[in-house]
Amino acid sequence: MKIYTKSGDKGTTSLVYGSRVSKKDQRVEAYGTCDEANSMIGLGLSYLKAEYFDGKEKFEGFFHKIQTVLFHAGAELATPPGKEVKWKLEDSNIKELEEQIDFLDGTLTPLSNFILPGGHPAGAALHTARTIVRRAEREAVGIGEEVNPLVLSYLNRLSDFLFVAARYINQQLGEEEKNLHQ
């Protein structure tokens, strides 16, 4: 199979099941933004080294699951109304994020001010991924009632998780958080 098909040369692309839409279609914007977030998560993880902190393998394993579920969320967004979604999100996907948020947040210094994104390159990349996920959520909302509500919940919770994970990485690696008013 060739990487290029030339079928998108006129500004259209295929949704799941083959219907063609404009590359500016709201669904394409939404699942494309999920893909962008997924790539930024991958970039963030590429900055981590085993010697940085204990449990890196477990941390990366959880991120592998997140990236997989985010890919599934994109597939849901790329599936036209009335068609069966092959990889449906489940309540358990959201619950797992909430459990990880609670666990990581319990290890962090409580926030007393807004903080500026940054820190270690891995933390900064996850802060960036968080903002991309927020955009994906807004794009998904723009599709309307056809979107599985679990996709919206997952994206909302994922952005919260990425915020906490960025803080966790920065704290583990000794990066000082910068408050908004420093």
Side-chain angles (χ1 to χ4, degrees):
M1 183 172 122
K2 288 186 175 187
I3 295 297
Y4 59 91
T5 63
K6 300 182 184 182
S7 61
D9 289 353
K10 293 190 166 103
T12 64
T13 191
S14 292
L15 296 177
V16 175
Y17 294 103
S19 62
R20 303 231 21 115
V21 295
S22 167
K23 290 184 178 183
K24 285 298 289 175
D25 184 90
Q26 193 68 38
R27 285 189 176 281
V28 178
E29 293 285 348
Y31 75 72
T33 306
C34 286
D35 187 39
E36 185 181 342
N38 220 334
S39 294
M40 185 56 70
I41 290 168
L43 177 65
L45 293 175
S46 75
Y47 291 120
L48 295 177
K49 295 185 175 137
E51 65 269 16
Y52 283 166
F53 57 92
D54 290 334
K56 177 182 180 273
E57 294 79 20
K58 185 176 180 185
F59 195 67
E60 285 183 331
F62 188 70
F63 266 102
H64 181 265
K65 185 162 189 178
I66 284 173
Q67 287 185 285
T68 300
V69 175
L70 185 54
F71 187 87
H72 292 178
E76 285 214 32
L77 294 168
T79 302
K83 299 290 185 178
E84 183 179 347
V85 174
K86 294 188 184 206
W87 296 315
K88 291 183 182 181
L89 269 68
E90 300 173 357
D91 287 322
S92 62
N93 300 126
I94 297 160
K95 184 156 182 49
E96 285 176 318
L97 281 177
E98 291 171 346
E99 289 169 357
Q100 286 297 312
I101 290 168
D102 293 342
F103 171 75
L104 294 178
D105 197 43
T107 70
L108 298 172
T109 306
L111 287 173
S112 59
N113 289 305
F114 286 106
I115 60 167
L116 297 173
H120 185 273
L126 292 184
H127 274 299
T128 303
R130 170 186 58 82
T131 65
I132 297 169
V133 169
R134 285 284 188 211
R135 181 164 29 98
E137 181 184 11
R138 292 189 303 272
E139 296 289 352
V141 167
I143 295 170
E145 293 180 9
E146 301 166 351
V147 174
N148 177 354
L150 291 177
V151 171
L152 298 178
S153 295
Y154 187 81
L155 294 174
N156 186 288
R157 216 68 83 250
L158 179 57
S159 63
D160 295 336
F161 170 78
L162 291 168
F163 176 76
V164 173
R167 291 191 68 220
Y168 177 79
I169 287 170
N170 284 335
Q171 180 176 291
Q172 290 294 307
L173 302 180
E175 294 286 337
E176 185 179 332
E177 291 180 328
K178 292 185 174 45
N179 291 327
L180 184 61
H181 299 293
Q182 278 185 333

